[in-house]
């Protein structure tokens, strides 16, 4: 059992392979946070909590008469409350029937359960029963009888602890939850920084590292989705922590809606982290007897740098968040027509593209936006999920049959949560659109949102999409969402309940996804929101891959995929080779560079394949065969960031076989200079004593450059020469110099006897 409960002393210790977490219910009943970090023993470590009489930090009534040292304003806690003496950011803000904003939680009881808890209607980390444990600690506000059930899931092998909260109104009056966070974590001492990921459409997940100085630091989204602007993932680390050394913590929120992550360094230098649903658009009514479940946060600790945080999360997302047939099945190499045709296509043209693609080894043809309703641009048609047979020149089924007859699978784009004013659906059901009565809505891409908080809308969409899936041989769906949500209002909710809209919307989305993925397990769903606007661990529970960004430029993608890799695995990142000059940046990069970068994701193509030369076609064949040869290494390998896009010359990453038998090192010169210093990287994850041989892929190298390169190998070894894992780890691997702008190299390192 990974949970040790010492009931007599109110002490609860959670152990994973390399970490320990401890909390203690004190004599007053406050559940104190004691420790989270490197694995240690079960002994009581609460001696580190030092109490002192501090002015303006008051004392709970029960102890105030006896002592001025005990203050909720300074004590580290597992779940802090607003309004009763803790003046820091808090996890729970309850409005009582008398209008007061107050709660004060005291320990009531606990239970330890074999297996990992689940959360009704929400994504959650899952595991075989014997590989996870749950601790449930129940706290109570004695005045209102509100219960707070703190749930801790422990995945020992993965070094993962999850947190979620159930709030039950056991009182006799309605209460309103104004804030109900999923996680409160108090760091008792230490100087911290946090790494967060900000961005915008076509430039998602840029890394920002900031000192957590005094004051409140926050990221979040009030856009209805997790958003392009901030990702619901953060790392808290000690100063000087880098990829390979230092203490750090990763927090990933399994939620696709509005979120907030806040950190506050308090008056005595303690740091509190709070993560949960964003409170701005949240006011949840809880009638007597009702319960509210928060979404889940998964957290992990590493004493050996940030790289390990990423690898712990990658493993857990791949096997304990992603579900269904496609979790383990090889994903097809796809070709998508969006950047090839945009809205301007015919069925005949698509069939021609599919035929050529099939001949080059592509496995899945994805028909993107524009196949339904009246949809020749982005101003109309959303909501009318009926094939436009006039445009296609045939039925959708006939087109799909032509494509599958060439040996390819067929996939389709949807944007189920949106509706155009110019659509039959809107004309029939204007009340299904998210607008505030009496106000003109803010338009974005000239579209409105369908009110997914409504059960009738959810049911309609399940039925409509199911009908298409049943009529057409589809094995893939791209689930897109192309605007942020404002004018939040549901015609199906009364005035008092409008504060529930944003969260109910997400619950509705999850219900539709759950229903469709369960009904059509053979369909691979890829999430998308104008690229990576809803790239979160919650979505990955339903869609095991997500289109990473609408920016398909290989050099811009280096930063986007680098940032994404901190919290999410390669198998989750949709990445395609597209045409040059690139449609978003105008940049021209070599074909091999584009494929090298797309191979750090799910790998596919998005260009007009009918316009490519024989020679380019041959390159595609080679790229696909290389990707398939190294599929397991790329998709399931351990990921190491060896050099960042902020490096002067070259971004380098590595995927290593978990047993250390082989590795694939990829390097892209994002900036070429004259007479440069050599690039040497220390290869990780190999066996120190084993011998390895290198193989360099040289696809795009001009013949002559290739020869001179081979005769002047700038390595410390010759192609084919043996080199030990220890040498590669300690001395490093010399990355061959760039022979052209944006040069990419892929170097396969394989163990030899
Ligand atoms: C945004 C997506 O990210 C693109 O890939 C494409 O599907 C368009 N929407 C279609 O409207």
């Amino acid at each position: 059992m990974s949970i040790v409960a010492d009931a007599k002393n109110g002490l609860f210790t959670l152990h994973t392979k390399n970490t320990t977490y401890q909390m203690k219910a004190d004599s007053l009943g406050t559940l104190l946070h004691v420790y989270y970090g490197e694995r240690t023993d079960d002994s009581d470590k609460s001696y580190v909590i030092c109490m002192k009489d501090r002015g303006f930090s008051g004392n709970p009534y029960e102890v105030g008469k006896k002592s001025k040292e005990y203050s909720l304003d300074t004590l580290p806690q597992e779940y802090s409350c607003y309004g009763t003496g803790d003046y820091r950011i808090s996890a729970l803000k309850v409005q009582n029937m008398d209008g007061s904003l107050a709660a004060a939680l005291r320990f009531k009881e606990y239970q330890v359960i074999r297996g990992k808890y689940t959360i009704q209607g929400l994504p959650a980390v899952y595991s075989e029963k014997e590989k996870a444990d749950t601790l449930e600690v129940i706290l109570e506000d004695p005045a209102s009888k509100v219960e707070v059930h703190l749930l801790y899931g422990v995945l020992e092998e993965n070094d993962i602890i999850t947190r979620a909260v159930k709030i039950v109104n056991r009182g006799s009056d309605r209460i309103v939850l104004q804030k109900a966070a999923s996680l409160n974590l108090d760091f008792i001492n230490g100087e911290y920084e946090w790494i967060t990921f900000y961005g915008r459409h076509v430039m998602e997940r840029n890394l920002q590292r900031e000192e957590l100085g005094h004051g409140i630091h926050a990221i979040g989204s009030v856009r209805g989705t997790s958003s392009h602007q901030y990702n619901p993932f953060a790392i808290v680390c000690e100063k000087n922590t880098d990829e390979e050394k230092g203490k750090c913590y990763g927090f990933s929120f399994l939620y696709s809606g509005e979120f907030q992550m806040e950190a506050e360094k308090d008056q005595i230098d303690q740091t509190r982290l709070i993560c949960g649903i964003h409170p701005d658009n949240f006011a949840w009514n809880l009638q007597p007897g009702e319960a509210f479940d928060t979404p889940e946060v998964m957290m992990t600790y590493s004493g050996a740098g940030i790289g390990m945080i990423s690898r712990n999360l990658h493993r857990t997302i791949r096997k304990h968040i992603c579900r269904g047939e496609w979790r383990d099945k090889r994903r097809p190499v796809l070709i998508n027509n969006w950047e090839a045709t945009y809205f301007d296509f015919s069925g005949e043209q698509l069939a021609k593209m599919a035929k050529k693609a099939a001949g080059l080894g592509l496995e899945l043809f994805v028909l993107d936006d524009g196949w339904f309703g009246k949809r020749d641009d982005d101003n109309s048609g959303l909501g009318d999920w009926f094939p436009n047979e006039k445009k296609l020149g045939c039925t959708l089924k006939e087109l799909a049959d032509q494509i599958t007859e060439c040996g390819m699978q067929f996939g389709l784009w949807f944007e189920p949560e949106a509706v155009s004013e110019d659509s039959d659906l809107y004309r029939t059901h204007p009340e299904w659109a998210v607008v505030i009565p009496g106000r003109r809505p803010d338009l974005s891409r000239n579209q409105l949102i369908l009110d997914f908080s409504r059960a009738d809308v959810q049911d309609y969409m399940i039925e409509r999409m199911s009908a298409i899936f049943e009529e057409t041989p589809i094995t893939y769906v791209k689930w897109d969402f192309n605007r942020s949500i404002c004018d939040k209002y549901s015609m199906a909710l009364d005035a008092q309940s409008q504060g529930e809209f944003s969260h109910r919307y997400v619950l509705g989305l999850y219900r539709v996804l759950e229903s469709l993925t369960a009904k059509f397990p053979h369909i691979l769903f890829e999430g998308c929101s104008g690229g990576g606007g809803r790239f979160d661990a919650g979505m990955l529970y339903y869609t095991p891959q997500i289109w990473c960004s609408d920016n398909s430029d290989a050099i811009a993608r280096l930063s986007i995929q680098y940032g994404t890799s901190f919290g999410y695995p390669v198998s989750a990142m949709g990445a395609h080779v597209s045409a040059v000059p690139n449609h978003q940046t105008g940049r021209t990069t070599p074909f091999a560079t584009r494929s090298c970068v797309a191979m750090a994701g799910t790998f596919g193509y998005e260009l007009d394949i009918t316009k490519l030369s024989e020679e380019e076609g041959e390159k595609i064949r080679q790229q696909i065969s290389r990707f398939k040869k190294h599929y397991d290494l790329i998709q399931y390998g351990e990921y190491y960031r060896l050099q960042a896009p902020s490096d002067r010359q070259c971004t380098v990453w590595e995927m290593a076989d978990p047993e250390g038998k082989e590795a694939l090192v990829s390097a892209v010169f994002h900036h070429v200079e004259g007479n440069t210093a050599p690039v040497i990287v220390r290869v990780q994850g190999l066996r120190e004593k084993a011998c390895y041989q290198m193989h360099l892929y040289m696809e795009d190298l001009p013949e002559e450059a290739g020869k001179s390169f081979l005769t002047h190998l700038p390595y410390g070894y010759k192609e084919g020469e043996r080199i030990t894992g220890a040498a590669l780890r300690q001395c490093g691997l010399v990355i061959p110099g760039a022979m052209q702008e944006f040069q990419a190299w892929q170097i396969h390192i394989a163990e030899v006897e």
Side-chain angles (χ1 to χ4, degrees):
M1 214 11 136
S2 55
I3 297 172
V4 182
D6 170 0
K8 199 164 131 248
N9 295 305
L11 194 67
F12 304 97
T13 310
L14 319 178
H15 292 297
T16 69
K17 202 166 60 177
N18 297 299
T19 74
T20 294
Y21 188 105
Q22 193 176 68
M23 66 198 91
K24 182 175 180 157
D26 68 11
S27 54
L28 189 73
T30 305
L31 188 62
L32 301 173
H33 175 72
V34 178
Y35 175 77
Y36 184 28
E38 210 68 36
R39 181 160 180 147
T40 170
D41 52 42
D42 312 333
S43 64
D44 187 346
K45 292 160 194 71
S46 61
Y47 62 86
V48 294
I49 301 173
C50 306
M51 283 186 252
K52 191 175 179 320
D53 177 6
R54 295 181 193 277
F56 292 84
S57 290
N59 324 106
Y61 197 83
E62 301 95 307
V63 292
K65 300 216 159 158
K66 293 179 236 144
S67 150
K68 294 198 178 71
E69 293 180 345
Y70 187 105
S71 177
L72 292 172
D73 199 24
T74 55
L75 282 170
Q77 294 159 64
E78 282 299 306
Y79 204 65
S80 57
C81 297
Y82 181 90
T84 50
D86 187 342
Y87 298 93
R88 298 169 286 181
I89 52 173
S90 52
L92 182 69
K93 190 172 185 181
V94 179
Q95 182 168 45
N96 300 293
M97 236 356 230
D98 58 8
S100 62
L101 292 169
L105 299 174
R106 302 284 184 262
F107 178 79
K108 191 173 175 193
E109 53 187 312
Y110 79 94
Q111 57 170 329
V112 176
I113 308 156
R114 196 81 180 116
K116 162 78 176 50
Y117 64 86
T118 56
I119 315 174
Q120 180 64 33
L122 282 167
V125 169
Y126 67 92
S127 173
E128 296 97 311
K129 198 168 181 193
E130 58 288 358
K131 293 203 176 139
D133 299 307
T134 295
L135 169 68
E136 179 177 12
V137 183
I138 304 175
L139 309 176
E140 184 197 48
D141 176 27
S144 67
K145 300 281 178 272
V146 169
E147 268 181 17
V148 170
H149 299 224
L150 300 181
L151 293 157
Y152 299 81
V154 185
L155 271 73
E156 194 171 355
E157 271 308 299
N158 288 58
D159 278 327
I160 291 285
I161 297 177
T162 65
R163 304 270 308 259
V165 181
K166 183 188 272 301
I167 299 166
V168 190
N169 183 0
R170 299 244 184 254
S172 47
D173 291 321
R174 175 176 69 94
I175 57 163
V176 182
L177 299 175
Q178 294 196 350
K179 185 177 185 186
S182 304
L183 165 127
N184 179 140
L185 186 63
D186 283 351
F187 296 86
I188 298 173
N189 66 339
E191 298 286 313
Y192 295 98
E193 295 175 342
W194 80 341
I195 301 173
T196 54
F197 300 87
Y198 70 95
R200 56 187 184 273
H201 179 226
V202 299
M203 212 55 230
E204 297 89 341
R205 291 174 292 286
N206 303 285
L207 179 151
Q208 176 164 276
R209 186 165 177 158
E210 290 168 288
E211 184 186 340
L212 288 176
H214 288 276
I216 299 171
H217 311 257
I219 57 156
S221 162
V222 290
R223 294 169 173 271
T225 59
S226 46
S227 89
H228 297 85
Q229 283 70 16
Y230 297 100
N231 194 262
F233 168 65
I235 294 167
V236 171
C237 55
E238 289 189 350
K239 281 187 179 148
N240 301 323
T241 297
D242 62 21
E243 287 288 340
E244 292 178 54
K245 58 179 186 334
K247 297 184 177 188
C248 44
Y249 302 80
F251 304 92
S252 185
F253 194 27
L254 279 75
Y255 192 58
S256 312
E258 303 184 355
F259 76 96
Q260 190 178 51
M261 284 189 177
E262 308 160 89
E264 179 177 8
K265 187 170 183 177
D266 73 9
Q267 56 178 333
I268 54 166
D269 298 344
Q270 301 178 116
T271 301
R272 170 171 288 173
L273 185 79
I274 303 273
C275 169
I277 294 177
H278 201 299
D280 272 12
N281 294 309
F282 179 78
W284 195 274
N285 297 286
L286 219 50
Q287 301 293 345
E290 284 183 351
F292 177 81
D293 288 303
T294 73
E296 180 170 275
V297 173
M298 100 175 127
M299 50 186 199
T300 186
Y301 163 83
S302 154
I306 295 164
M308 190 183 278
I309 292 285
S310 298
R311 290 185 291 280
N312 289 348
L313 293 172
H314 293 175
R315 257 179 260 122
T316 309
I317 288 175
R318 280 197 308 254
K319 290 282 183 194
H320 300 277
I321 290 184
C322 294
R323 300 174 300 163
E325 279 182 20
W326 290 98
R327 185 187 76 169
D328 303 321
K329 212 155 116 180
R330 281 199 168 207
R331 318 257 176 89
V333 181
L334 66 81
I335 178 152
N336 177 307
N337 74 310
W338 179 243
E339 285 199 17
T341 64
Y342 296 102
F343 291 103
D344 189 11
F345 56 80
S346 66
E348 196 185 337
Q349 197 186 348
L350 298 173
K352 205 166 133 207
M353 290 167 88
K355 196 164 172 213
K356 171 110 189 255
L360 298 181
L362 283 138
E363 297 162 314
L364 164 70
F365 186 86
V366 179
L367 171 51
D368 211 281
D369 198 352
W371 58 268
F372 52 91
K374 180 182 143 205
R375 184 80 173 160
D376 290 326
D377 55 36
D378 57 11
N379 293 316
S380 62
L382 288 173
D384 294 342
W385 301 107
F386 297 91
N388 183 342
E389 293 176 1
K390 195 160 160 240
K391 181 170 179 176
L392 296 176
C394 58
T395 65
L396 186 65
K397 163 93 169 63
E398 281 162 353
L399 175 66
D401 286 344
Q402 283 184 62
I403 289 169
T404 49
E405 271 157 26
C406 337
M408 291 198 97
Q409 299 167 46
F410 182 57
L412 216 48
W413 178 95
F414 287 86
E415 189 173 354
E417 301 154 76
V419 65
S420 307
E421 274 184 300
D422 185 2
S423 70
D424 292 340
L425 186 69
Y426 182 77
R427 284 182 279 272
T428 319
H429 282 294
E431 79 284 8
W432 283 5
V434 176
V435 291
I436 302 175
R439 284 179 193 271
R440 287 181 177 214
D442 190 66
L443 292 174
S444 184
R445 215 189 186 201
N446 212 353
Q447 65 194 54
L448 296 172
I449 305 294
L450 262 191
D451 184 355
F452 260 49
S453 76
R454 296 175 68 125
D456 51 359
V457 171
Q458 298 160 23
D459 292 341
Y460 171 80
M461 207 44 72
I462 293 169
E463 201 186 301
R464 184 81 292 270
M465 292 179 77
S466 298
I468 295 181
F469 299 168
E470 274 151 13
E471 283 157 15
T472 328
I474 287 172
T475 56
Y476 167 102
V477 163
K478 179 173 171 186
W479 183 296
D480 204 350
F481 186 53
N482 283 300
R483 61 162 293 180
S484 302
I485 310 179
C486 62
D487 300 300
K488 290 164 192 158
Y489 188 89
S490 172
M491 313 254 182
L493 294 172
D494 59 25
Q496 187 182 270
S497 308
Q498 292 298 333
E500 298 178 10
F501 168 78
S502 291
H503 182 56
R504 285 195 184 278
Y505 180 95
V506 180
L507 292 176
L509 166 68
Y510 288 157
R511 182 181 161 237
V512 177
L513 283 165
E514 180 68 43
S515 157
L516 290 172
T517 49
K519 215 163 146 192
F520 301 96
H522 67 285
I523 296 184
L524 167 62
F525 283 77
E526 176 158 348
C528 176
S529 174
R534 197 158 55 186
F535 203 114
D536 54 70
M539 271 320 266
L540 290 170
Y541 190 67
Y542 306 95
T543 68
Q545 58 190 59
I546 300 174
W547 180 227
C548 200
S549 176
D550 271 352
N551 190 337
S552 62
D553 169 53
I555 301 305
R557 273 286 181 132
L558 289 177
S559 306
I560 297 167
Q561 294 176 189
Y562 170 80
T564 309
S565 78
F566 281 82
Y568 308 94
V570 163
S571 60
M573 287 188 228
H576 300 166
V577 174
S578 62
V580 288
N582 178 267
H583 293 193
Q584 294 80 39
T585 63
R587 185 161 23 217
T588 297
T589 50
F591 211 0
T593 302
R594 283 174 272 152
S595 77
C596 170
V597 175
M599 276 189 216
T602 55
F603 197 58
Y605 291 79
E606 190 164 331
L607 38 70
D608 190 347
I609 203 148
T610 60
K611 296 209 174 105
L612 298 186
S613 65
E614 267 300 305
E615 197 194 330
E616 285 169 317
E618 188 44 41
K619 281 185 180 170
I620 291 184
R621 266 195 208 97
Q622 286 172 19
Q623 290 166 357
I624 294 175
S625 108
R626 184 184 323 155
F627 176 69
K628 287 181 155 180
K629 182 168 163 209
H630 299 304
Y631 186 94
D632 289 352
L633 186 55
I634 293 172
Q635 299 296 313
Y636 314 128
E638 299 280 285
Y639 191 88
Y640 296 92
R641 290 174 292 268
L642 303 184
Q643 280 199 182
S646 56
D647 182 82
R648 186 152 182 183
Q649 303 185 61
C650 193
T651 308
V652 190
W653 65 95
E654 175 199 348
M655 288 96 163
D657 158 55
E659 286 171 21
K661 289 186 186 151
E662 55 169 342
L664 185 68
V665 174
S666 302
V668 178
F669 284 83
H670 49 253
H671 185 70
V672 187
E673 292 179 343
N675 198 11
T676 52
V679 177
I680 302 175
V681 292
R682 290 189 290 131
V683 183
Q684 303 193 47
L686 299 179
R687 290 190 271 202
E688 302 260 306
K689 290 200 174 127
C691 263
Y692 296 87
Q693 263 180 341
M694 289 344 104
H695 174 67
L696 179 74
Y697 288 105
M698 284 185 296
E699 183 190 321
D700 252 1
L701 215 53
E703 182 83 349
E704 260 149 61
K707 276 191 199 132
S708 81
F709 168 72
L710 281 174
T711 44
H712 303 100
L713 274 176
Y715 290 77
Y717 65 91
K718 293 201 172 58
E719 174 92 359
E721 193 172 294
R722 286 157 179 255
I723 184 161
T724 64
L728 286 165
R729 173 83 182 98
Q730 305 304 341
C731 304
L733 168 74
V734 182
I735 303 292
M739 312 297 284
Q740 57 184 329
E741 197 178 26
F742 307 127
Q743 176 79 56
W745 299 118
Q746 285 176 301
I747 303 166
H748 183 238
I749 302 171
E751 189 182 341
V752 283
E753 289 301 305

